[in-house]
Amino acid sequence: MDLSLNIFKNKNVLITGHTGFKGSWLAIWLKKLGANVIGYALDPLNSEDNFSLSGLKNSIIDIRGDIRDSKLLNEVFKKYNPEIVFHLAAQPLVRYSYEHPKYTYEVNVIGTLNLLEAMRNCNTTKAAVIITSDKCYENKEWVWGYRENDPMGGYDPYSSSKGCAELLVSSYRNSFFNPEEYSIHKKVIASVRAGNVIGGGDWSKDRIIPDCINALELNKDIIIRNPKAIRPWQHVLEPLGGYLKLGINLLKYNTKFSGAWNFGPNSESIVSVEEITKKIINYWESGNYKSINTISTQLHEANLLNLDISKSKFYLNWAPKWNVDKAIEETVKWYKNYHNGNVYDLCVKQIDEYCNT
């Protein structure tokens, strides 16, 4: 992972959703690269997540704000003049989207609209990386990976909202940030789609890693509701490394790297929820699990998801470094050590190990 260009050093970088799982890891990595990090997000979920335990609020500009609040967001752009934006603020859960569909669309679609408008009105902002999801595609449950130019879709509100966000980004790219008119607007945007991301510091509801860790810490059986569902598992540092490489290229070469990008694992890391659970138990060195039958009441979730990452490999020279076993090993290592203090250093150590792999 060649990030030795130091292109982020002393640059104002805005991260929306920096209190979240992926956002907190990205903020730590960008701080390590010398960036002036401005974070805009809601409060962290709890006192034990990565943002809280790493003490990030003391080392970055930490702003509390709702992505739906366009007035406040525009004020942040005007005050801090970010040169590049990583937009991660989102409602990220499928099952929660069934309970709160309106909120999900407001955050994931209107929130993205607010971000794009703020960028459009800020002369200093040159680039944006908009994070969506692998679930943005029209999922046909086929075995080969989705390419960046496959149709958008989404069965459930969450997946649909991410497809909508992608269409919105495409519209703004064509209408306001057209690559052929770059000399006029001097802005470039890209959207990115990752697989099922795991790593230390995620305590979100209805996610397999937090569910496993919570059960293991309490010495209870792990309950899994959809054991045969197959997902593209990857450590959080995998897509973040891709986002950073893409950001570097957007700042250096602008329009050549405009568009959509997939950052997923290699095929051997596309495995079932049950297999992931067994691997977690193995690295934790104790524990049991139970599958529960929820067929009669289970809300629809995709069973098979896969991304084609050829474009990122060819044009960005990006490729996965850690397979599913290494991803699980490093994830378990975080959860086994977070009680010992200095989580920031623990994260930096894993980032260093990833970069040096």
Side-chain angles (χ1 to χ4, degrees), residues 264-308:
N266 289 322
S267 58
E268 66 269 18
S269 294
I270 303 172
V271 299
S272 71
V273 171
E274 184 173 34
E275 189 169 344
I276 283 291
T277 305
K278 291 178 179 178
K279 290 179 183 295
I280 293 168
I281 290 170
N282 178 56
Y283 283 105
W284 194 267
E285 298 178 336
S286 68
N288 298 291
Y289 75 93
K290 275 187 212 181
S291 298
I292 57 173
N293 184 0
T294 59
I295 293 174
S296 59
T297 59
Q298 184 173 338
L299 299 171
H300 177 275
E301 291 188 55
N303 285 308
L304 178 61
L305 290 167
N306 187 11
L307 294 174
D308 186 319

Side-chain angles (χ1 to χ4, degrees), residues 56-107:
L56 254 178
K57 68 178 182 180
N58 300 318
S59 57
I60 66 171
I61 297 170
D62 177 31
I63 301 166
R64 289 292 171 272
D66 194 316
I67 197 65
R68 298 172 296 170
D69 187 344
S70 59
K71 183 175 182 293
L72 179 57
L73 186 62
N74 275 283
E75 289 173 358
V76 169
F77 270 79
K78 289 176 183 176
K79 181 175 181 179
Y80 295 103
N81 296 306
E83 191 165 334
I84 183 170
V85 180
F86 292 89
H87 175 50
L88 290 87
Q91 190 299 94
L93 301 173
V94 172
R95 290 173 67 84
Y96 186 89
S97 76
Y98 280 106
E99 299 168 4
H100 305 280
K102 184 174 183 289
Y103 175 77
T104 298
Y105 281 103
E106 286 177 346
V107 173

Side-chain angles (χ1 to χ4, degrees), residues 218-280:
L218 296 171
N219 199 27
K220 294 182 177 180
D221 287 343
I222 300 167
I223 306 299
I224 50 178
R225 68 176 186 272
N226 199 2
K228 303 305 177 185
I230 297 172
R231 296 286 186 269
W233 306 95
Q234 55 189 158
H235 192 272
V236 63
L237 296 179
E238 297 279 20
L240 294 186
Y243 304 166
L244 290 171
K245 290 198 80 170
L246 178 58
I248 288 170
N249 282 283
L250 290 174
L251 291 172
K252 285 191 69 177
Y253 305 112
N254 52 72
T255 59
K256 181 179 177 183
F257 291 88
S258 175
W261 301 81
N262 287 338
F263 296 102
N266 289 322
S267 58
E268 66 269 18
S269 294
I270 303 172
V271 299
S272 71
V273 171
E274 184 173 34
E275 189 169 344
I276 283 291
T277 305
K278 291 178 179 178
K279 290 179 183 295
I280 293 168

Side-chain angles (χ1 to χ4, degrees), residues 67-239:
I67 197 65
R68 298 172 296 170
D69 187 344
S70 59
K71 183 175 182 293
L72 179 57
L73 186 62
N74 275 283
E75 289 173 358
V76 169
F77 270 79
K78 289 176 183 176
K79 181 175 181 179
Y80 295 103
N81 296 306
E83 191 165 334
I84 183 170
V85 180
F86 292 89
H87 175 50
L88 290 87
Q91 190 299 94
L93 301 173
V94 172
R95 290 173 67 84
Y96 186 89
S97 76
Y98 280 106
E99 299 168 4
H100 305 280
K102 184 174 183 289
Y103 175 77
T104 298
Y105 281 103
E106 286 177 346
V107 173
N108 294 350
V109 184
I110 303 304
T112 301
L113 175 64
N114 290 340
L115 185 284
L116 292 169
E117 276 292 285
M119 177 185 176
R120 188 162 76 95
N121 296 321
C122 184
N123 293 331
T124 59
T125 307
K126 298 178 180 178
V129 179
I130 312 295
I131 288 78
T132 64
S133 169
D134 60 344
K135 295 177 178 66
C136 68
Y137 292 106
E138 181 183 350
N139 190 1
K140 300 181 183 297
E141 302 278 350
W142 55 35
V143 294
W144 52 88
Y146 293 94
R147 294 181 178 179
E148 287 84 350
N149 57 356
D150 279 329
M152 297 295 98
Y155 183 106
D156 57 87
Y158 168 77
S159 302
S160 171
S161 73
K162 289 300 186 177
C164 290
E166 284 284 356
L167 294 174
L168 178 60
V169 171
S170 178
S171 173
Y172 264 67
R173 183 185 299 112
N174 294 331
S175 302
F176 305 112
F177 310 130
N178 195 308
E180 294 180 2
E181 299 171 352
Y182 178 77
S183 61
I184 300 173
H185 54 72
K186 298 285 188 180
K187 297 179 188 294
V188 60
I189 56 175
S191 61
V192 294
R193 303 134 186 195
N196 275 45
V197 177
I198 62 175
D202 182 12
W203 297 104
S204 297
K205 184 181 178 182
D206 292 330
R207 282 185 177 165
I208 188 61
I209 300 297
D211 288 351
C212 287
I213 300 302
N214 281 322
L216 290 168
E217 287 189 333
L218 296 171
N219 199 27
K220 294 182 177 180
D221 287 343
I222 300 167
I223 306 299
I224 50 178
R225 68 176 186 272
N226 199 2
K228 303 305 177 185
I230 297 172
R231 296 286 186 269
W233 306 95
Q234 55 189 158
H235 192 272
V236 63
L237 296 179
E238 297 279 20

